[in-house]
Structures are given as C-alpha cells and as structure tokens.
Amino acid sequence: MTSKIWGGRFQSATDAVLEAINVSIDFDKRLGPQDIRGSLAHVAMLAARGIVSQDDAAKITQGLEQIKTEIDSETFVFSRDYEDIHMNVETRLAALIGPAAGRLHTARSRNDQVATDFRLYIRDTIDALDAQLADLQLALAERALAEADSVMPGFTHLQSAQPVTLGHHLLAYAEMIGRDRGRLQDARKRGNECPLGAAALAGTSFPIDRHMTAQALAFDRPTANSLDSVSDRDFVLETLSAAAICATHLSRFAEEIVLWTTPQFAFISLSDKFTTGSSIMPQKRNPDAAELVRGKSGRIIGALTALLIVMKGLPLAYSKDMQEDKEGAFDSLDNLALCIAAIAGMVRDMRVNRERMKSAAGAGYATATDLADWLVRRLNMPFREAHHVTGRVVALAEGRGVGLEALTLADLHSVEPRITDEVFGVLGVENSVASRTSYGGAAPENVRKAAQSWLDCLKAQR
C-alpha cells in the first residue's frame, strides 16, 4: 500500500516519471494563503452545520492559523512528496493536531478546493493590477497636463499626418488603460462565485451551507452547477484575455518610447534609471526597459493561447490537464505587473525635447489638411475640390523644397487666385493644433480639461 493520502486502493508506489509530471507544489505553493482562507471558511461552516464537532473545528482552525503564520514568515517546508499545496497543508495540519485534521476534507474535494483557491488568487491579483494601472493612468494624466501645449507630429502609417500634442498622445494611453481596467473588473465580477461545496463534481450529501462559505470568502454567491464549478476556467481565461490586451497596449507605448529615444526622432530621453549601455559601444544608451516590455507581451499573450488550447478538448468535469492552468497564468500576471511598473516609471522619468518635437510636427506638410479646411470654410469650396487644390500646393512646396508656410501669397495664387493672406494663420503647427477643438480633439484646451478630468476621477477612486 502506498503512503499517499489518496492511496487506499493502491498497492505499490507510483513511477518516478508520474511523480515528476504529477507534482505541482513547485508552482502552486503560491496558493498557500488562499488555501488557508478557503479551509478556514470551510471548517467554520462544517462546525456551524454540526458536521464536525466544535472541539475538532477549534483544533483545525488553530492549526490552520499556525500554518498561515509559517507560510507568511516563509518557514513552512513545502515537500514534493505531498504533490500540491492542498496535501502539503493537510499533512502539516495532521502533524500539528493529529487525527482531527482528517475531518477538514469532509464534504469537499481537491477539485472544488483548487477552483476556490485559484478564484481567490485571481481576484487578489486583479485588485493589485487595478491599483497599478490606476497609478499608471495618474502618471499619464499628470504628464499630459504638463505637456498639453507640447506640439508633436501625429502619425498615420508612421508618416507625418497632422500636428497633435504630447499631452493628447499620452491621454490616448490613459483611455486604453481605462478600458483595460474595465475588462479586468468585468472578469473579477463574473468570476466572483464560490465553487466550494461542489465537491468532486456532483455536490455532496452532507447538509452544507454553500452560501455561508461564499459569504465568508467575500464571493457574491455560490456557483450554481456543481459540474461547471469544478470544470470552469473562464475566470482565468477572461483575466488572461484582459492581460493580453493590456500587454498589447503597453507594448505599443514601449515601441513608441524606443522610437522617440532614437537620435533620428530625439523626442524624449530617459535617464540612467531606465536605460543600459553597450559592452562594446561606449556612446550607447539603450531603452532596454521599453524593449523588454515589448518583448514580454509575447509571453503574456502566449499564456492565454496556451490555456485556450488546454481547455478546448476537455469533457466535463475535472481532468488533470487543468493543472496546466496555473504556471502560465502566474507567469503572465507577474510579468504584466512588472511591465505596468516599468511603463509608469518611464512616463515619470522621460525628459521631453519640445523644440525637436515642434520642428518635426511641421515636417511632411502636416498642415495640409488645415489648408484644405480653410478653403472649404473661407472660399466655400467642396472638400474634394479643396483636397485637390491643396495637393497641388503641396506639390509646389515639395518641388521648391520648402514648407507650406514658406510659400508666398503669389505662389499660392498660382494654384488658386482666391486665396488671401489670412491663410497663413492656419499653416503654423501651433495654430493647427489649437484649431482642433472638437470633442476629443487635440487642442491644448481640450487636453487640459481631459487631463484634469482624469486626475479628478483617479483621486476620487483612492
């Protein structure tokens, strides 16, 4: 007979290969705090329902509290001999309080136990990520307010398109992060149901009170179907999906930081805190933090893909394949937290080269649309005709190697005689940006209002 807790019907030891592939304590030990919380709620319910005696419940509770202290102080000894966090805790409990420990597992299975532990962990992690993302939004809004008037080129196809401001650009990411927070909060809400009491797959014949344990663990309600309770990992998939989208946003911003810090762009610079040097080229200052955020997005997206593939062919209810739900999720969410911290740090650290950005904003005839709009407003020209006229003006300027604002009124008259010198008021990049007053537009006054709105909202959330 084996010494395994589950080994009553087994007569010989498991193979070393099975031991190696089956053990999960190396990674699921981080569920220790959640496992203790779930067990404390479970034993309190068992005692309240008269399923275990008050004396045994008191012993179990005392033992679990001691184990919690050992885990918190990092003195708990995790053993691969006991496979997972649940068996490690139960074995230690038995060593502390004796046979009463065996009553803790009444009316539950490791199937509903791990589902509960993991939901608690995901919920805790979402709360921590949300706080980090709120801090990143704060950093973006503060810098946006400071850079509301800092003109820079706006791009489409990575070609100069129209002037915007750095503040407006940063607030675009504040909006993205706001949606990321919303997705995580939605995942938390949908996943905030308690599987404990579903047991292995069919529920239990013991007179348990699942509402009591759900309330004790701050879940909104118990899960409604015992099969779904133990086989569902939607709460992980939704969280990883939100994490993957968030990582994509962070990666896009990281890519812009990489571009902006090049000598060719020179829009911003980062201090020694967020750059590294080269082992051979002493002049180099590499934006490694941004590059690693960009790179780590692949790991975060990959974790979502991996779990989708694990789950796609599983019949109800629990299968051991589902043990593969944790390592990728742990790694993904750990790295997302690191990436958020890195981006927030770089936003606060970056020094802005406003003159360089303003100069670049006028390149590529970025105010051409302003000229077309002026022709529509002042000459009552249909936009398609104005577009054509402006294209000819751009061709004229390009042929002479000058910007639109450098053309003379006579030059403009050679294309369209009705143009007046009033047009020069819209050809400068600052005038162009200032004119974008439509809701959500890049005008500095809009940016200041939007940035302040974000700051007020974020401070109210604290």
Side-chain angles (χ1 to χ4, degrees), residues 396-451:
L396 176 63
E398 188 174 32
R400 296 189 180 179
V402 298
L404 295 180
E405 70 282 359
L407 293 173
T408 67
L409 185 59
D411 292 331
L412 296 173
H413 281 169
S414 70
V415 177
E416 171 50 63
R418 292 179 293 166
I419 294 176
T420 69
D421 58 5
E422 181 186 315
V423 76
F424 294 106
V426 304
L427 295 183
V429 292
E430 289 177 327
N431 290 333
S432 172
V433 170
S435 72
R436 306 298 175 185
T437 56
S438 60
Y439 182 80
E445 63 182 90
N446 287 11
V447 175
R448 279 188 284 273
K449 288 178 183 177

Side-chain angles (χ1 to χ4, degrees), residues 155 158 254-270 275 283-287 290-291 294 351 353 356-357 360:
F155 298 97
L158 204 56
E255 168 65 6
E256 294 193 308
I257 291 172
V258 171
L259 289 172
W260 293 350
T261 55
T262 61
Q264 291 75 18
F265 274 80
F267 289 177
I268 65 169
S269 60
L270 296 171
T275 55
Q283 83 281 8
K284 293 296 292 298
R285 182 185 289 276
N286 299 321
E291 291 173 4
R294 190 177 59 187
R351 289 167 293 185
N353 186 342
R356 172 60 185 156
M357 288 197 311

Side-chain angles (χ1 to χ4, degrees), residues 55 66 69 80 102 104 146 220 243 263 271 379 408-410 412 426 461:
D55 183 60
Q66 180 172 336
T69 299
R80 299 181 102 243
L104 174 60
D220 292 334
S271 76
L379 303 185
T408 67
L409 185 59
L412 296 173
V426 304
Q461 293 172 7

Side-chain angles (χ1 to χ4, degrees), residues 4 7 11 13 57 68 77 105 129 133 153 183-184 203 228 264 303 314 319 335 340 358-359 363 385 436 458:
K4 302 290 187 184
Q11 301 301 312
K68 179 182 184 300
V77 179
H105 210 54
L129 289 170
L133 288 169
R183 274 183 283 269
L184 285 167
D228 180 54
Q264 291 75 18
L314 297 186
S319 296
N335 277 283
I340 296 168
K358 182 179 177 181
S359 175
E385 182 182 348
R436 306 298 175 185
L458 291 164

Side-chain angles (χ1 to χ4, degrees), residues 123-427:
R123 193 176 71 186
D124 292 344
T125 302
I126 287 174
D127 291 344
L129 289 170
D130 184 69
Q132 276 194 280
L133 288 169
D135 179 66
L136 173 54
Q137 284 184 300
L138 182 64
L140 290 165
E142 288 172 342
R143 288 309 299 258
L145 189 59
E147 306 295 343
D149 294 287
S150 300
V151 178
M152 69 175 292
F155 298 97
T156 61
H157 309 277
L158 204 56
Q159 303 291 317
S160 292
Q162 293 177 303
V164 294
T165 70
L166 179 58
H168 193 60
H169 197 110
L170 294 174
L171 287 180
Y173 284 99
E175 294 289 336
M176 295 181 208
I177 299 304
R179 294 193 295 273
D180 293 326
R181 293 181 66 193
R183 274 183 283 269
L184 285 167
Q185 289 160 5
D186 285 347
R188 188 192 193 283
K189 183 177 181 180
R190 253 185 302 280
N192 201 35
E193 297 182 350
C194 184
L196 200 57
L201 76 162
T204 178
S205 59
F206 288 97
I208 63 173
D209 184 347
R210 294 190 61 209
H211 291 275
M212 179 180 174
T213 48
Q215 184 176 15
L217 294 169
F219 286 108
D220 292 334
R221 63 192 68 83
T223 49
N225 181 283
S226 60
L227 283 169
D228 180 54
S229 300
V230 298
S231 62
D232 168 53
R233 290 299 182 269
D234 287 2
F235 64 97
V236 191
L237 288 168
E238 282 197 58
T239 303
L240 291 180
S241 177
I245 296 171
C246 182
T248 300
H249 293 153
L250 299 179
S251 182
R252 293 181 71 179
F253 193 18
E255 168 65 6
E256 294 193 308
I257 291 172
V258 171
L259 289 172
W260 293 350
T261 55
T262 61
Q264 291 75 18
F265 274 80
F267 289 177
I268 65 169
S269 60
L270 296 171
S271 76
D272 295 354
K273 294 179 181 179
F274 290 95
T275 55
T276 65
S278 165
S279 63
I280 188 173
M281 295 170 285
Q283 83 281 8
K284 293 296 292 298
R285 182 185 289 276
N286 299 321
D288 282 10
E291 291 173 4
L292 285 166
V293 169
R294 190 177 59 187
K296 285 179 180 295
S297 64
R299 290 171 67 170
I300 297 167
I301 295 165
L304 170 62
T305 304
L307 185 55
L308 285 167
I309 293 170
V310 167
M311 297 301 298
K312 72 176 182 62
L314 297 186
L316 298 181
Y318 182 83
S319 296
K320 200 59 180 277
D321 312 47
M322 293 165 68
Q323 183 169 288
E324 294 298 310
D325 61 353
K326 296 175 192 65
E327 284 184 280
F330 292 156
D331 181 79
S332 173
L333 299 176
D334 285 350
N335 277 283
L336 180 61
L338 186 58
C339 290
I340 296 168
I343 291 292
M346 285 184 283
V347 169
R348 291 187 167 107
D349 180 73
M350 66 184 185
R351 289 167 293 185
V352 179
N353 186 342
R354 297 181 181 89
E355 289 304 314
R356 172 60 185 156
M357 288 197 311
K358 182 179 177 181
S359 175
Y365 308 101
T367 58
T369 304
D370 297 277
L371 172 56
D373 290 345
W374 184 89
L375 293 171
V376 172
R377 286 195 309 271
R378 304 303 294 173
L379 303 185
N380 198 29
M381 191 179 289
F383 182 78
R384 284 302 169 205
E385 182 182 348
H387 186 287
H388 182 73
V389 169
T390 300
R392 291 170 59 198
V393 172
V394 169
L396 176 63
E398 188 174 32
R400 296 189 180 179
V402 298
L404 295 180
E405 70 282 359
L407 293 173
T408 67
L409 185 59
D411 292 331
L412 296 173
H413 281 169
S414 70
V415 177
E416 171 50 63
R418 292 179 293 166
I419 294 176
T420 69
D421 58 5
E422 181 186 315
V423 76
F424 294 106
V426 304
L427 295 183

